[in-house]
């Protein structure tokens, strides 16, 4: 079980500093939310911020792509230091061939399931993926409350992945906090995205990550 901070609610004026603080606090990988103002109304960042994080931290980077044309950015993201790219299935016309495009660009690949997208949509693809993100909120901004009804998709994915003996990470994204993190792991999640739980005005990233680990009973510190 790993924790992947999202920098969306972090202080972008002190990005290198907060990145180092989260790494020191025991984060396992970065979850960077790229939004293009089309797939979702917000506009966040692209390869330059990915590159800045990869310079400030040695942790692996995944890019959660909430963009209209993900395949058009795979190469630039790989060059900026992304190890993994994750796209939303409804943003591509040929879902089956898109993972190969990401691999050709030198990245691992995953898909993200928004609230309206069922697991059955990506079941045929599972063997060609490294990861599936189950959105527990409507994508587009940090700090929203988790919608626990979507944990049913995590349970469904967990049994599919285990039954097929696949090495596919199951990640949950949206509203993860110390008080509900255990429910996500109990449903079968391997990776927890944590944005406002880690970057908020009340705690340092180190304190926030320690609180999350404590809530998880010390599950899964980085080996
Ligand atoms: C929202 C993003 C999430 C978000 C998580 O669309 O995909 O990764 O940053 O932030 P919290 O943990 O605050 O919900
Ligand atoms: Zn995300």
């Amino acid at each position: 079980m790993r924790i992947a901070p999202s920098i969306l609610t972090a202080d972008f004026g002190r990005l290198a500093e907060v990145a180092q603080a989260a790494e020191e606090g025991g984060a396992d990988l970065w979850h960077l939310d790229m939004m293009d103002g089309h797939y979702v109304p917000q506009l966040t960042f692209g390869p330059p911020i990915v590159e800045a994080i990869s310079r400030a931290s040695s942790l692996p980077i995944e890019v959660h792509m909430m963009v209209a044309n993900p395949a058009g950015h795979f190469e630039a993201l790989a060059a900026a230091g992304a190890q993994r790219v994750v796209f939303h299935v409804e943003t591509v016309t040929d879902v089956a061939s898109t993972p190969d495009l990401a691999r050709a660009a030198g990245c691992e690949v995953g898909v993200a399931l928004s609230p309206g997208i069922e697991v059955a949509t990506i079941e045929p693809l599972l063997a060609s993926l490294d990861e599936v993100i189950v959105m527990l909120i409507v994508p587009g901004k940090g700090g929203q409350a988790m919608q626990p009804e979507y944990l049913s998709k995590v349970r469904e994915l967990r049994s599919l992945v285990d039954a097929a003996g696949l090495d596919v990470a199951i990640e949950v994204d949206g509203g993860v906090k110390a008080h509900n993190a255990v429910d996500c792991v109990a449903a079968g999640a391997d990776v927890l995205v944590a944005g406002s739980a880690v970057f908020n005005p009340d705690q340092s990233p180190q304190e926030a990550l320690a609180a999350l680990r404590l809530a998880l009973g010390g599950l899964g510190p980085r080996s």
Side-chain angles (χ1 to χ4, degrees):
M1 202 289 314
R2 288 165 285 155
I3 297 178
S6 158
I7 59 169
L8 216 50
T9 54
D11 177 354
F12 276 54
R14 298 186 306 115
L15 213 45
E17 201 185 312
V18 297
Q20 281 144 18
E23 180 165 352
E24 193 192 296
D28 294 291
L29 68 145
W30 288 108
H31 177 90
L32 303 184
D33 291 301
M34 181 178 174
M35 301 180 188
D36 67 351
H38 294 286
Y39 175 66
V40 290
Q42 281 76 9
L43 187 60
T44 57
F45 51 76
I49 293 288
V50 173
E51 203 267 330
I53 294 289
S54 71
R55 256 187 296 114
S57 164
S58 62
L59 298 178
I61 292 173
E62 70 175 17
V63 180
H64 177 194
M65 305 180 73
M66 287 158 277
V67 304
N69 169 29
H73 303 282
F74 289 160
E75 285 192 11
L77 290 171
Q83 274 82 23
R84 185 173 287 182
V85 290
V86 183
F87 64 93
H88 280 261
V89 286
E90 68 273 34
T91 63
V92 300
T93 45
D94 188 350
V95 182
S97 70
T98 304
D100 294 338
L101 297 176
R103 293 193 194 288
C107 287
E108 296 174 346
V109 62
V111 298
L113 301 180
S114 284
I117 307 285
E118 294 307 324
V119 171
T121 308
I122 55 119
E123 194 175 341
L125 278 181
L126 269 181
S128 69
L129 301 174
D130 299 294
E131 178 180 309
V132 178
I133 298 180
V134 175
M135 297 301 302
L136 302 178
I137 56 160
V138 174
K141 62 178 189 294
Q144 300 180 65
M146 177 190 289
Q147 294 173 251
E149 62 269 29
Y150 299 125
L151 288 174
S152 61
K153 291 186 196 176
V154 178
R155 285 184 280 275
E156 191 181 344
L157 270 169
R158 182 81 272 157
S159 53
L160 283 173
V161 165
D162 291 354
L166 296 171
D167 182 18
V168 176
I170 300 172
E171 180 172 292
V172 292
D173 187 11
V176 175
K177 297 283 188 298
H179 66 81
N180 59 33
V182 169
D183 304 335
C184 301
V185 175
D190 300 301
V191 187
L192 307 181
V193 173
S196 50
V198 172
F199 298 112
N200 61 66
D202 311 321
Q203 301 163 296
S204 69
Q206 295 95 328
E207 290 163 341
L209 283 157
L212 264 175
R213 294 276 182 212
L214 189 64
L216 289 159
L219 260 181
R222 196 172 64 234
S223 52

